[in-house]
Structure formats: C-alpha cells, structure tokens
Amino acid sequence: MGSSIAWHLKSDPDFTGNVVVIERDPTYARASSALSASSIRQQFSTPLNIHLSRYGIGFLRQASRLLDVDLGLREPGYLFLASDAGEAVLRANHAVQKGEGCAVELLDPAALRSRFPWISDEGVRLASHGVANEGWFDGPALMQAFRRKARALGTQYVADEVVKLAPNAVTLRSGTMIEAGTIVLAAGPWSGEVAATAGIALPVEPRRRSVFVFDYQKEQGRGPPGLMPLTIDPSGTWCRPEGRFYIGGTTPAEGNDPPTAPLEVQHQEWDDMVWPALANRVPAFEAAKVVNSWAGYYEYNTFDQNGIVGRHPEIDSLIFATGFSGHGIQQSPAVGRAVAELIVHGSYRTLDLSPFGYERISAGKPIRELNVV
Ligand SMILES: Cc1cc2nc3c(=O)[nH]c(=O)nc-3n(C[C@H](O)[C@H](O)[C@H](O)COP(=O)(O)OP(=O)(O)OC[C@H]3O[C@@H](n4cnc5c(N)ncnc54)[C@H](O)[C@@H]3O)c2cc1C
C-alpha cells in the first residue's frame, strides 16, 4: 500500500512534493504483502470492493508496461461453494455482483458436477463461479515493482521505525523526527498499534493465517486440471494451483484467532481442518502431502473487515490506507491511485472511496464484507 501510494503520487504530473516511505524492515520478512496468497476476485458482497478489484485486474494486466514487471497473472476464476446454510448469502452476493456487471454464474450441483467433475458436490447446494477477472499473481513482485518504480521517481525510503505519530510529524526509533504536510498510515497489520501512539483508536490488528503448499500423486483422468479455479469450500478452506504445486489454507475459528499470535505456521490446521476439507471436496487430494508452508498476518479490521481509507475526520493531515482484511494486495493499485488523488487534488477523482472513510467507525456504521476468505 505504501509503495503503491508513493508510486501513484510521484507519477502524477500535478504532484510537486517529496515522498518519504518509512519502513522498519526493508527485507519485508513479516509484511503481509510478502506473505500473501496474492489472488484477485470480483466476488465480494460490497460493491466498492468489486470496483477496487476491477481496477486492480486491469492494472495487473498492464503491469509489464506500467511497472516493468512480469506478475505471472493467471485468470481461472474463483469458485465459491455454499451448503444449505450458505445458499441465501451466496444468492444475495450474486445479485450484488450481477448488479455491478460481474461475469459470475450460479451452478446447481448437477451443473457443478458436469463443469468440474473432479469436485465432490457432497453437501453443496449452490456454487458461484467467476468466469472473468479473477485469478492470482505474484504479489511480492508487485510490491517490489511499486517500490523500485517509486524510488526511481525520487521517493526516499528510510529504514527506521515509527514510534510516535503526531498530526504533522513522526518520531522514529533512531530519535529522528520527520515533519510532513500529510502522513499516510499504511502499516498493514500493525496500523492499529501505530495509530495508538497518537491516541487514535483504529480497529486494525494482526490475525495469523497459515498457508500450506501441497502436492498429490497425479493419476491420468483423476484430479483437477492444471488451472482449476481458486476453490472455497463451505467450511472456509480454500485452495488453488501455485506453479506445479497447490496452496491452501483456512480461517481459524473466531475463538482461536488472537491478535497476539506469533508468526508461526499452525501445522495442526492442516491435519484438523485443511486436509480433511480438501480430501472431502477434491477426492484426488486425499493423498495430498505438504511440501512447504508459511504464515502471514492479515491486517484485520475487527469493525467490518473492509479497508479504512481517507482522512482522519479531525486531523486533516492524517490519511489511513489499511484494514483490508485479506483482500488488500489486489486493491493496492486502486487504493494507491485514490490516496494520491486525495493528496494531489483534495478529493477522489475516479473511484469515490468515501464510504470506506474512518467516519463510519466513529459513527458505528459498519459496511460488513461477507466474502472474507
Ligand atoms: C496468508 C495471507 C493471504 C492473503 N491472501 C490475499 C489474497 O489472496 N488477495 C489479496 O488481495 N490479499 C491477500 N492478503 C492480504 C494482503 O496481503 C494485504 O492486504 C496487503 O498485503 C496489505 O498490504 P500493506 O502494505 O497494507 O501491509 P504490509 O505489506 O504488511 O506492509 C506494512 C509495512 O509496514 C511496516 N511497518 C509496520 N509498522 C511500522 C512502524 N511502526 N514503522 C515503520 N514501518 C512499519 C511493516 O514492516 C510492513 O512492511 C493475504 C494476506 C495473508 C497474510
């Protein structure tokens, strides 16, 4: 987010200022953007998320021209599966998506079986398949490309940690104070912590998610084809191809999802949740073996699982760009563009992100995203 905003700012001919990105870990070892599943979809329940991601896919397709990078974009779609209990929500989401012009189709179990014969339809009442504008890409490469291009245009990267935020300045761990006309808070999972140093309540915290890289014994005529859609089981377990392997994960139960969890892979999640769900849904995955794994933090917005973007209502110089709760990397092009517009032109010029402003939090009016994977 920070580097996208920096690149969009420096690319705007009307912008005349300096941009400094303060990053405490230039290796990005724990950054969400380095540990993401880097997938992009249109299938959200919130229209604004659909529009953010729609701009995102167009941007990703042009990344080689805009950012000189090959992101390996693949577009086989997402496939959401719903049980009886999830059917009504899937239908309601479908209506929202159709209303926004998304290429999505509902499949009953018979249609699911004929389209994806390698999937078991056990316990599935309805499926939603995104037939265009959905897939995955190399997220860390996108982050590095934004950074490289922002630097080439004059953005300064300072390797230090913000320990105190104030309306027009930040104090760094080294003791340096940097003053600025505008400060953008884009500290990912640690955004709530940084906001707290200024006495601002921001409901964004780290929530650990484990990702498992797996393989299985491929047999002729069994199992998914090379480019299966990113498939989400009614249990919340998801999987998709990643090169010659597959990746998958799940959402821990609410009571088992603390903000303080260390960044360690939860191997029992594979044994207890991910493998059983995968083996049940894709019978060929019964023989799946984990070949690698990693854990990353979602920058989880506990208020409504949507991005928090825009100026602080009382501190005009402070802009938020955080809280995307597991769908931020696909939205980084659109959010970068929007925040740059806000800084350069004083208002959004293309996509109006004001519904995602901080005001909804102080007003207690959530815009809850129902499709959080
Ligand atoms: C396992 C996993 C799967 C995901 N899957 C997807 C997906 O499929 N699609 C999707 O769109 N999104 C996905 N996401 C979410 C996506 O990766 C994030 O929304 C996005 O990367 C957030 O970017 P960011 O720049 O806000 O945060 P980050 O990439 O975390 O960057 C924040 C940076 O701030 C720095 N920082 C923090 N505090 C300070 C401080 N005090 N001083 C200085 N620097 C500081 C950190 O070091 C970090 O580098 C996934 C995330 C995870 C963890």
Side-chain angles (χ1 to χ4, degrees), residues 117-170:
W118 43 272
I119 286 188
S120 157
D121 65 352
E122 189 192 321
V124 175
R125 169 56 68 97
L126 194 66
S128 172
H129 182 217
V131 292
N133 300 334
E134 297 190 328
W136 50 87
F137 57 98
D138 186 339
L142 174 65
M143 175 187 66
Q144 292 292 353
F146 272 136
R147 184 179 196 269
R148 192 169 58 246
K149 286 287 175 183
R151 288 182 79 171
L153 293 176
T155 300
Q156 191 191 342
Y157 278 73
V158 173
D160 209 330
E161 182 174 8
V162 173
V163 291
K164 177 101 186 79
L165 181 67
N168 282 100
V170 287

Side-chain angles (χ1 to χ4, degrees), residues 29-62:
R30 293 159 64 84
S32 284
S33 305
L35 300 165
S36 181
S38 306
S39 307
I40 179 161
R41 60 185 156 116
Q42 312 293 298
Q43 295 185 70
F44 288 96
S45 68
T46 313
L48 204 41
N49 282 329
I50 295 171
H51 292 284
L52 284 164
S53 292
R54 188 172 292 162
Y55 177 74
I57 191 95
F59 187 95
L60 297 179
R61 287 186 189 128
Q62 297 181 64

Side-chain angles (χ1 to χ4, degrees), residues 1 23-24 32-33 36-37 39 162 188-189 297 299 326-330:
M1 283 296 167
E23 170 54 59
R24 67 180 171 198
S32 284
S33 305
S36 181
S39 307
V162 173
Y297 289 127
E299 79 286 29
H327 45 267
I329 202 149
Q330 64 193 283

